[in-house]
Amino acid sequence: ITPSPNLRGFGFKQYLLLLITNLKCAIFPPVILSSLMWGFQDSFLSFYLTTEDTTFSEAPWNYSRFQIAAMNVPCIIGAVIGCLYAGSATDYFVLWMARRNSGIVESEYRLYFSFLCGIINPIGLLMFGIGTEKSLDWRVIYVGLGFIGFGWGVSGDLAMTYLIDSYPELVLETMVIVAVFNNAIGCLFTFVCSLWLETSGVQNTYIALAVINFFVMFLLTIPYIYFAKTWRKWTKNTYVDLVESREGF
């Protein structure tokens, strides 16, 4: 770590001070919500990829490796649509809301776009899980994968844009914490997904995942829309202190 006017000490001491600054960002409510949004959505990757690899290679599907790989196409299509929906569309919506709010932008405006994701993504999980268990028509399963991809695109974009709007001067620090939580959730579910699928079965597992997704993307965003501005005011002093300490004041 090189000398810098805004950092005190050298070597491990300097690293420790930076680490403490990052860890303090974990108390910010928007960081928690963004971590849950992105973390659980990433964990779903482990489940449907595992299901594709283990279930669709056997009867009654008997898919080849090429056919299994092609199942990711609807996910990509859904993800692109989700990114456009939660990216460009939210920007226009935020500007429209700001004009109605005397030109003031509130970061919680972004969260209104999570409601549609909180409906479509659970439906996709149910279509894919139940469709796989019941051997339903392939169109049901592929549309379900498209819905899951849509949720993946929406959750990532919403998590990041909401975080950036909430704490614009601590983007890197807050993203570090979100990345830690995101990868921790994804890692945990990666290790348990095969056991969960074997124990509960494909249908019951995806029903549980749909409930978790509905809670995070739909129910949990409601109190944030109403109270997160107040919560951000409560953490204002901590936010300012972290920015000033990082800059060497």
Side-chain angles (χ1 to χ4, degrees):
I1 300 178
T2 59
S4 176
N6 66 319
L7 296 175
R8 298 181 297 276
F10 297 93
F12 181 75
K13 180 179 180 181
Q14 193 178 103
Y15 172 78
L16 186 62
L17 290 172
L18 289 172
L19 179 62
I20 292 173
T21 299
N22 287 339
L23 290 176
K24 286 182 178 178
C25 294
I27 68 172
F28 297 147
V31 173
I32 297 173
L33 180 62
S34 297
S35 300
L36 294 175
M37 279 185 171
W38 205 357
F40 278 111
Q41 195 63 47
D42 276 357
S43 70
F44 298 153
L45 291 171
S46 300
F47 283 90
Y48 76 75
L49 289 176
T50 300
T51 303
E52 289 175 5
D53 191 51
T54 59
T55 303
F56 285 84
S57 60
E58 302 174 350
W61 308 100
N62 295 318
Y63 275 13
S64 66
R65 289 195 173 273
F66 175 80
Q67 289 174 307
I68 292 175
M71 295 180 71
N72 291 311
V73 173
C75 295
I76 295 173
I77 296 173
V80 171
I81 296 173
C83 288
L84 293 174
Y85 167 79
S88 301
T90 58
D91 290 338
Y92 288 110
F93 178 75
V94 167
L95 293 175
W96 179 74
M97 289 290 288
R99 285 192 288 268
R100 296 165 56 91
N101 192 33
S102 302
I104 300 174
V105 173
E106 302 289 352
S107 58
E108 284 70 35
Y109 292 159
R110 303 274 184 184
L111 297 181
Y112 287 102
F113 277 65
S114 69
F115 292 128
L116 181 61
C117 177
I119 295 174
I120 289 181
N121 199 21
I123 291 176
L125 290 167
L126 293 174
M127 291 175 68
F128 178 72
I130 298 175
T132 302
E133 180 81 14
K134 303 296 185 182
S135 300
L136 300 181
D137 187 84
W138 64 271
R139 297 176 184 83
V140 175
I141 295 171
Y142 278 51
V143 170
L145 287 172
F147 285 177
I148 294 173
F150 174 82
W152 191 87
V154 172
S155 61
D157 277 17
L158 280 185
M160 288 298 97
T161 52
Y162 177 50
L163 192 65
I164 292 170
D165 287 349
S166 297
Y167 301 105
E169 299 299 326
L170 287 178
V171 173
L172 293 178
E173 290 81 359
T174 51
M175 285 183 66
V176 167
I177 297 301
V178 170
V180 170
F181 287 142
N182 169 37
N183 288 301
I185 295 172
C187 179
L188 175 64
F189 277 85
T190 297
F191 281 105
V192 304
C193 71
S194 295
L195 180 62
W196 193 351
L197 287 167
E198 293 174 1
T199 304
S200 300
V202 175
Q203 177 175 302
N204 292 335
T205 299
Y206 278 89
I207 290 175
L209 295 178
V211 172
I212 292 174
N213 186 250
F214 179 76
F215 172 77
V216 173
M217 297 301 298
F218 195 100
L219 296 181
L220 192 59
T221 56
I222 295 175
Y224 269 83
I225 289 174
Y226 285 100
F227 303 113
K229 182 178 180 180
T230 302
W231 298 339
R232 286 190 286 114
K233 289 180 179 179
W234 291 349
T235 58
K236 174 186 175 182
N237 292 335
T238 302
Y239 171 60
V240 173
D241 289 343
L242 289 177
V243 174
E244 292 181 345
S245 64
R246 183 196 62 191
E247 299 299 327
F249 298 120

